[in-house]
Amino acid sequence: MSRAPSSPAAPDLPAELARPSELPDELRELELEGALLRGIDLSERDATGLRLFESRLERVELAGARLQRANLSDVVVNAGSWANLAADSLLLKRVELRGVRLTGATLGNALLEDVVFSDCRVDLARFRFAKLLRVRFENCRLEEADFYAASLRSVVFSDCDRSEEHTSE
């Protein structure tokens, strides 16, 4: 007998967030906490090992960026493009993504725990060998998304277009 999926836990953000005056040129291994990032273009940047905690991203462009081994915990993301993001071994914990474009994003071997994708375009994204625990996709486009050998526990697809989705054991 299967149980109903558990709902993802919401991000825990502080009441006040600080808006950094500018980000350093070197994003590798950068750690930010309690940050508000708004309207920043980080496309094609290398942010390998980035650690972002208790923060909000609004219209942040990460198209083609590299976020391998990055850790985002207690983060809310509104709008922006993460298309073709290279994020193998990414850790997302208590993260909400709303209206984000993730076309062609690679999240192989990633761990997604307590994550909500709402009104996102996640087509052609690759979640190969990823672990998804308490993840919800709401009103998302998932055409040709690749979940090959991914572990999905308490994952819900609500009102999503999953045509030609690839899943295999």
Side-chain angles (χ1 to χ4, degrees):
M1 180 187 224
S2 63
R3 298 184 322 204
S6 301
S7 295
D12 186 16
L13 296 180
E16 299 282 327
L17 296 173
R19 190 165 180 190
S21 55
E22 67 179 61
L23 291 177
D25 290 335
E26 180 60 52
L27 298 177
R28 292 175 60 89
E29 306 298 330
L30 178 67
E31 184 170 325
L32 291 171
E33 186 171 348
L36 171 61
L37 303 178
R38 183 178 287 148
I40 297 173
D41 187 352
L42 301 174
S43 298
E44 304 294 329
R45 301 278 300 272
D46 185 356
T48 299
L50 172 74
R51 292 175 306 283
L52 183 63
F53 307 110
E54 299 177 348
S55 297
R56 180 180 301 274
L57 282 66
E58 297 179 1
R59 299 179 322 278
V60 172
E61 299 295 318
L62 285 166
R66 291 171 300 288
L67 262 76
Q68 288 90 345
R69 298 180 315 282
N71 179 346
L72 281 67
S73 297
D74 294 307
V75 174
V76 174
V77 182
N78 289 309
S81 177
W82 291 21
N84 299 313
L85 177 75
D88 288 320
S89 301
L90 172 72
L91 169 62
L92 295 180
K93 190 167 186 175
R94 291 181 307 278
V95 174
E96 290 182 6
L97 297 102
R98 300 192 178 282
V100 177
R101 181 175 178 240
L102 294 118
T103 299
T106 301
L107 292 96
N109 292 309
L111 173 59
L112 285 68
E113 187 175 329
D114 296 307
V115 176
V116 174
F117 294 89
S118 181
D119 299 309
C120 292
R121 186 169 177 173
V122 195
D123 55 322
L124 301 169
R126 292 176 298 280
F127 294 89
R128 289 180 162 240
F129 301 98
K131 293 180 182 162
L132 287 73
L133 176 61
R134 293 182 305 278
V135 174
R136 184 170 181 87
F137 293 90
E138 302 171 344
N139 196 33
C140 291
R141 291 186 55 187
L142 287 156
E143 298 99 325
E144 296 189 55
D146 184 353
F147 291 91
Y148 176 81
S151 171
L152 284 67
R153 291 188 20 225
S154 285
V155 175
V156 174
F157 298 91
S158 176
D159 295 322
C160 294
D161 182 349
R162 296 172 57 194
S163 59
E164 297 184 46
E165 178 184 291
H166 301 285
T167 56
S168 282
E169 299 292 322

